[in-house]
């Protein structure tokens, strides 16, 4: 049963007949129910579904990251998660059906015009991930010392992600992250991006490469 909010001229939520009422970002809308089809999916549909699944299984677990990283991309028309899926399915999914994989160097967890941290470096030693970035050219980078640095390490074999307990600030210039023991002895993929405190100004993604987790 559908519910009308704020009187007869207000928003509508729920299901009524062949339509569904919903709301997103305080905008009320009505959409039709999807029709069931007995037709088998075409090869083109199967290819698109496989491409979508390849990126969705990566993006969905890191939704809190992309909700910041894509918060300013098409913000009036889609959610940050959908924006991230759309951006990555076009560039980061490679290979041929049904064996699609991710090109980690092309994965984007953020988009924006804020300048990243200049020269960014990362290394692993004795179970510690050490990352550094330039924090001196603030005027050139058009950033602030209290910009947050969002760090994402992905372990493909385990299909697990790791980040700093709290995002460090740009002004620190460096952060050390202790790796869990079960991460060691394999390889990891590393990205980072910068965002101001209000998540209004976001940098593009920095891919720091594949690291030996030792």
């Amino acid at each position: 049963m559908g519910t009308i909010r704020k009187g007869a001229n207000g928003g509508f939520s729920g299901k009524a007949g062949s339509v569904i009422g919903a709301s997103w970002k305080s905008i009320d809308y009505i959409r039709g129910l999807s029709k069931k089809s007995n037709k088998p999916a075409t090869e083109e549909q199967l290819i698109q579904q496989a491409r979508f699944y390849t990126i969705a299984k990566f993006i969905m677990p890191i939704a809190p990251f992309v909700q910041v990283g894509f918060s300013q991309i098409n913000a009036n028309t889609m959610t940050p998660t959908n924006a991230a899926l759309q951006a990555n399915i076009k560039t980061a999914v490679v290979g041929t059906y049904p064996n699609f994989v991710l090109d980690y160097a092309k994965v984007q967890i953020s988009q924006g015009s804020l300048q990243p941290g200049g020269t960014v470096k990362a290394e692993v030693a004795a179970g510690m991930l050490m990352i550094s970035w330039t924090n001196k050219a603030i005027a050139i980078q058009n950033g602030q010392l209290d910009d947050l640095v969002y760090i994402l390490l992905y372990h493909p074999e385990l299909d697990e992600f790791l980040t700093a307990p709290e995002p460090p600030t740009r002004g620190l210039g460096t952060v050390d992250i202790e790796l869990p023991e079960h991460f060691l002895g394999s390889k990891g993929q590393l990205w980072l991006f910068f965002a101001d405190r209000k998540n209004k100004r976001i940098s593009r993604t920095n891919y720091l490469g594949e690291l030996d987790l030792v």
Side-chain angles (χ1 to χ4, degrees), residues 1-15 20-30:
M1 179 176 68
T3 301
I4 296 177
R5 301 186 298 272
K6 303 177 185 176
N9 296 320
F12 161 78
S13 67
K15 177 182 176 184
I20 295 176
S23 176
W24 178 67
K25 298 184 74 171
S26 300
I27 300 172
D28 297 313
Y29 64 92
I30 294 175

